[in-house]
Amino acid sequence: MLYLASKSPRRRELLTRLGVDFGLLDIDIPELRQPAEAPDDYVRRVAREKAGAGLLEVVANPSALVLGSDTEVVLDDEVFGKPADAGEAAGMLRRLSGRTHRVLSAVSLVSAGREVQAMSESRVTFTALDDATIAAYLATGEWQGKAGAYAIQGVAEMFVEHLEGSFSGVMGLPLHETSRLLAEFGVHVLQPSSTPDRA
């Protein structure tokens, strides 16, 4: 049985797209970067901790497979987590304005006896944002609970001049990497029908 260790409705939506059955685990892991911890190492560690905490929740099920993921926005080696309020969100968007930032999304898949992990790195270039545009975006409320204070699958997609990498990874769960990890555990997604559809 596959479980998703996440409260994120975006990750739930993305995993559903793969056509696999899964349960949900309400996991709350402190997301605190350690001093001198590289952004890539931080994202990998948090994803692993989420999956591990999820596995403890379902330890009674020996066939349980738990997926944990973490996504962070990184600019100049600084990790932009979820803003605490609109003021912090505005500051993040001003910093991202007219620049290219990295979005790191790590996926960990664990069972009682095995763990595999993958990382997706995307580069997102924002157009220049003036204060009026930032204020209008903040008024939508879309920034709340989003790393870097934006959701690429929402209104903020209009800020993106260029994306190099994984759209689903920027959303919060890179589907290419996730499907590959699931296949390593024998969970195959979107299996083709034995009889092809005919027009």
Side-chain angles (χ1 to χ4, degrees), residues 103-142:
V103 179
L104 304 176
S105 197
V107 182
S108 280
L109 199 56
V110 299
S111 67
R114 187 178 174 205
E115 173 188 352
V116 291
Q117 189 173 63
M119 172 80 91
S120 164
E121 176 175 338
S122 301
R123 293 184 177 272
V124 181
T125 302
F126 266 22
T127 191
L129 304 175
D130 58 27
D131 286 345
T133 301
I134 290 173
Y137 182 67
L138 294 179
T140 69
E142 187 178 87

Side-chain angles (χ1 to χ4, degrees), residues 10 19 23 27 48 52 65-66 68 72 96-97 128 133 136 147 152 160 175:
R10 295 167 302 284
I27 300 298
R48 185 178 298 115
L65 184 59
V66 180
E72 301 292 347
L96 297 175
S97 172
T133 301
I152 195 170
V160 178
L175 293 184

Side-chain angles (χ1 to χ4, degrees), residues 12-146:
R12 189 181 318 149
E13 174 198 338
L14 287 164
L15 189 55
T16 298
R17 291 182 191 178
L18 293 182
V20 294
D21 294 325
F22 62 93
L24 293 172
L25 298 173
D26 191 356
I27 300 298
D28 192 11
I29 292 294
E31 297 183 19
L32 298 171
R33 186 181 175 192
Q34 302 299 322
E37 186 175 29
D40 302 60
D41 294 338
Y42 167 64
V43 174
R44 286 190 186 98
R45 176 176 61 79
V46 172
R48 185 178 298 115
E49 288 177 356
K50 288 178 181 178
L55 193 61
L56 289 176
E57 295 275 324
V58 292
V59 70
N61 180 355
S63 65
L65 184 59
V66 180
L67 188 152
S69 183
D70 186 53
T71 301
E72 301 292 347
V73 169
V74 181
L75 180 70
D76 297 335
D77 204 48
E78 181 180 349
V79 174
F80 286 23
K82 298 167 187 170
D85 52 37
E88 188 176 355
M92 289 182 181
L93 292 170
R94 288 190 191 99
R95 299 265 314 274
L96 297 175
S97 172
R99 300 193 60 192
T100 299
H101 60 272
R102 295 194 298 153
V103 179
L104 304 176
S105 197
V107 182
S108 280
L109 199 56
V110 299
S111 67
R114 187 178 174 205
E115 173 188 352
V116 291
Q117 189 173 63
M119 172 80 91
S120 164
E121 176 175 338
S122 301
R123 293 184 177 272
V124 181
T125 302
F126 266 22
T127 191
L129 304 175
D130 58 27
D131 286 345
T133 301
I134 290 173
Y137 182 67
L138 294 179
T140 69
E142 187 178 87
W143 57 272
Q144 297 178 37
K146 309 296 194 304

